[in-house]
Amino acid sequence: MRGNLSVQGWLAGRTLRTRLIAGVFVLLAGSCAGIGITTSITLQRFLLERLDQQLVGAGSRLDVSLEHTNGRGGPGGPTPDGGEPGVQGQVVGTLATRIVRGSLVAPVVVNDTAGQVSLGNVAMSSADRQKLLHLVPDGRPTTTRLSSIGEYRLRATRSQDGDIHITGLPLRDIESTLHRLEATELFVFAAALLLTGLAGAGWVRLALRPLHRVTTTANQVSSMTLGSGAVDLPHRVPDTDPRTEVGQLSAAFNQMLGHVETSLEQREASEARLRRFVADASHELRTPLAGIRSYAELARRSTEAIPDEVSHALGRVESEAVRMGRLVDDLLLLARLDAGRPLEQEDVDLSRLVIEVTSDARVAGPDHRWSLDLPDEPLVVRGDEHRLHEVVANLLSNARTHTPAGTSVVVRLRANQQSDHQVHQVLLSVTDDGPGIPAELRASVFERFVRADDSRSRAIGSTGLGLSIAHAVVTSHGGSLTLVSAKGGTGFLIALPAGNGT
Ligand SMILES: Nc1ncnc2c1ncn2[C@@H]1O[C@H](COP(=O)(O)OP(=O)(O)OP(=O)(O)O)[C@@H](O)[C@H]1O
Ligand SMILES: [Mg+2]
């Protein structure tokens, strides 16, 4: 369970390439280990079987020699051909001994001295002797470690005269063969793993290249602005071979892009229709509204005596018609800004504009404390003076109408300079120490028809369009309007790109 978790932990966050290479590597390493172990075991069995056969042959031949030796009471003397009987052709290291009436006769080992094989006594520890004495004389070979001469394959048989004959062959040749095989396998497998790792990395990189193209296209699409305006998604993944997985993915991805494009086109078309409708409706409403206003005014100013209530009602019709006219103008302006209608492009002296709007606000709100903070040099931006005037007037009107008398309002103009002392941005802030914008309104304050639902807002006949118009105008100037601080008051910051004259 823990191993499973740690493998998952390792895989988490790894690239597909690393996972594939690691997977192939682990599989190959497992196969190599399997092949290595199987080969070693099979070879070991085969060699042991062959050794056991040799052991049977060696036993019968050495018996002759030992009989001869015992007959003389010492190691065998030379044969006519210069060797010893039963010793010629024996493997060097072959062990032979007998147990006669329960005691071990001195064990002998075949030696090779200058190409001449002979039998020699071998000194054995009492533990080794005990091991030999306890061998079962059933003729079956067993593997035993003898401290004096190493690991041996031993076989004990009982002869007709009741003695036990023990023959042994050393296992060192088998061990060294197996060690050599293991070393060779280790080297070959390591080389195979290294080559597979390198070639596999290259191959997987090649195989995953089409996937990289899908990622590139996805990144290109995600860096596009899809939120508004006409949408064109020119990017498509090139490989769409349906026989490959990546091709199928690419085709599905392209299909999805096509679907997104169609949906966005439909959305854009319906938004354009809506904008046109609002613009047309607002435009069409202007004329009858102007008519209502003029006729109400005409009737109110009539020389005929009209009752007071009628005169009051006509006055209300007139003022409501004015309000509605303003609302219609605002809607028309928003529809035009949404449609991306180009604005006037002229040098606007923002310092002068701010002075003018603030002095208008002073007149309109004598109960507020107005202060201006301007830099020495006039700051100029490129844009539509009339619209920018509206924006600043709107912010000051908010600071006046949504705060109680006695509130201080500070209008500050600053230049944002780069390291080369070139002004690249003009910052205009309007802050007041009034009650602040209600917390639930702050996130949506630039949306249309959003206003605090309090009696004050209703009393001043606010529509909730002022800030959304200001935001749209500033944005279409390439600038930004943000609510900067609403702690114990309200602060709006306008950032506009500086004009040529600055
Ligand atoms: N300086 C301010 N202090 C407190 N609340 C403000 C301030 N400025 C704006 N608000 C809140 O934000 C709301 C939205 O302002 P916005 O200018 O968009 O609309 P409005 O002033 O209500 O109506 P309109 O400007 O269209 O006549 C206001 O209704 C008011 O609740
Ligand atoms: Mg307002």
Side-chain angles (χ1 to χ4, degrees):
M1 188 69 186
R2 176 175 290 211
N4 212 2
L5 276 181
S6 65
V7 169
Q8 275 178 3
W10 187 85
L11 284 177
R14 305 277 161 185
T15 58
L16 186 58
R17 206 174 76 204
T18 314
R19 287 171 185 221
L20 284 173
I21 295 169
V24 170
F25 201 81
V26 168
L27 284 178
L28 190 68
S31 309
C32 288
I35 293 170
I37 291 168
T38 317
T39 323
S40 290
I41 291 174
T42 315
L43 187 67
Q44 191 185 28
R45 274 203 199 136
F46 169 74
L47 291 175
L48 267 184
E49 271 169 26
R50 220 176 55 175
L51 195 74
D52 290 348
Q53 284 166 9
Q54 281 176 3
L55 199 56
V56 175
S60 49
R61 268 185 285 150
L62 270 173
D63 281 350
V64 179
S65 175
L66 286 178
E67 290 289 351
H68 182 70
T69 305
N70 282 351
R72 290 182 307 156
T79 53
D81 60 351
E84 293 174 32
V87 176
Q88 284 307 315
Q90 286 291 0
V91 175
V92 174
T94 307
L95 170 82
T97 185
R98 289 194 302 163
I99 302 171
V100 180
R101 284 185 292 281
S103 58
L104 194 73
V105 174
V108 288
V109 169
V110 176
N111 294 322
D112 181 1
T113 33
Q116 194 72 41
V117 284
S118 61
L119 283 176
N121 282 334
V122 58
M124 246 183 215
S125 67
S126 59
D128 288 350
R129 284 172 164 274
Q130 284 304 313
K131 282 182 189 169
L132 293 178
L133 280 170
H134 283 96
L135 284 175
V136 185
D138 56 1
R140 275 203 216 130
T142 52
T143 301
T144 309
R145 171 163 288 284
L146 298 170
S147 56
S148 33
I149 45 177
E151 203 152 26
Y152 264 71
R153 195 78 174 149
L154 296 174
R155 179 171 174 263
T157 48
R158 195 181 288 277
S159 65
Q160 282 168 353
D161 55 7
D163 295 350
I164 296 170
H165 291 223
I166 298 173
T167 324
L169 279 172
L171 280 170
R172 62 170 174 269
D173 283 351
I174 294 186
E175 275 168 12
S176 77
T177 307
L178 285 175
H179 283 155
R180 209 176 306 157
L181 173 78
E182 278 160 14
T184 313
E185 280 179 343
L186 216 63
F187 174 75
V188 171
F189 292 160
L193 281 175
L194 188 73
L195 276 179
T196 309
L198 291 176
W203 176 252
V204 171
R205 185 191 295 262
L206 206 70
L208 290 183
R209 199 178 279 172
L211 208 57
H212 184 65
R213 285 197 274 270
V214 179
T215 315
T216 311
T217 310
N219 283 337
Q220 281 168 340
V221 173
S222 58
S223 66
M224 292 174 74
T225 316
L226 303 178
S228 60
V231 174
D232 183 22
L233 296 177
H235 307 288
R236 290 288 186 276
V237 187
D239 319 275
T240 51
D241 188 345
R243 290 170 303 176
T244 65
E245 288 86 348
V246 178
Q248 288 163 13
L249 172 72
S250 307
F253 186 73
N254 285 348
Q255 212 171 341
M256 187 193 76
L257 283 183
H259 182 64
V260 169
E261 194 173 39
T262 320
S263 307
L264 290 176
E265 273 166 9
Q266 283 169 358
R267 190 209 62 188
E268 169 59 13
S270 99
E271 279 181 3
R273 269 198 303 278
L274 192 69
R275 273 198 299 271
R276 216 168 22 250
F277 168 74
V278 174
D280 292 348
S282 313
H283 195 73
E284 292 303 317
L285 281 171
R286 278 172 140 188
T287 323
L289 271 175
I292 293 171
R293 220 170 61 198
S294 330
Y295 280 110
E297 196 179 346
L298 194 70
R300 198 166 47 82
R301 290 192 179 168
S302 156
T303 47
E304 301 282 319
I306 44 170
D308 279 354
E309 309 89 82
V310 178
S311 167
H312 174 73
L314 285 172
R316 293 291 302 143
V317 169
E318 205 184 318
S319 67
E320 287 302 300
V322 170
R323 205 160 91 84
M324 199 169 167
R326 261 208 310 270
L327 187 61
V328 162
D329 284 348
D330 283 352
L331 285 175
L332 188 60
L333 175 62
L334 271 174
R336 283 178 178 162
L337 288 170
D338 281 352
R341 284 262 196 101
L343 293 160
E344 291 284 327
Q345 283 294 317
E346 55 197 345
D347 281 342
V348 182
D349 183 346
L350 216 54
S351 305
R352 185 178 49 77
L353 185 145
V354 164
I355 293 170
E356 280 172 15
V357 182
T358 312
S359 59
D360 290 352
R362 263 199 194 103
V363 175
D367 298 334
H368 283 65
R369 290 200 297 272
W370 303 92
S371 47
L372 249 178
D373 180 3
L374 298 176
D376 298 335
E377 293 293 312
L379 293 178
V380 179
V381 294
R382 283 294 289 168
D384 189 323
E385 176 154 13
H386 177 60
R387 297 283 169 234
L388 289 175
H389 190 284
E390 267 183 1
V391 169
V392 184
N394 223 312
L395 293 183
L396 295 194
S397 144
N398 279 353
R400 177 170 53 81
T401 51
H402 300 298
T403 58
T407 303
S408 299
V409 185
V410 182
V411 185
R412 187 172 287 125
L413 198 59
R414 284 278 175 276
N416 211 348
Q417 291 182 332
Q418 276 174 331
S419 49
D420 56 358
H421 299 292
Q422 192 79 21
V423 177
H424 67 106
Q425 205 178 37
V426 177
L427 303 174
L428 167 62
S429 68
V430 178
T431 38
D432 65 59
D433 59 358
I437 296 180
E440 68 277 6
L441 220 70
R442 282 178 209 155
S444 57
V445 80
F446 296 114
E447 286 173 22
R448 284 153 207 199
F449 298 109
V450 167
R451 59 193 164 148
D453 192 19
D454 56 16
S455 55
R456 190 175 170 75
S457 292
R458 279 195 296 276
I460 55 172
S462 76
T463 59
L465 280 179
L467 283 177
S468 51
I469 292 179
H471 190 264
V473 170
V474 174
T475 311
S476 56
H477 274 83
S480 65
L481 170 59
T482 40
L483 179 65
V484 279
S485 83
K487 195 175 153 209
T490 308
F492 286 102
L493 177 71
I494 298 176
L496 286 167
N500 299 340
T502 308

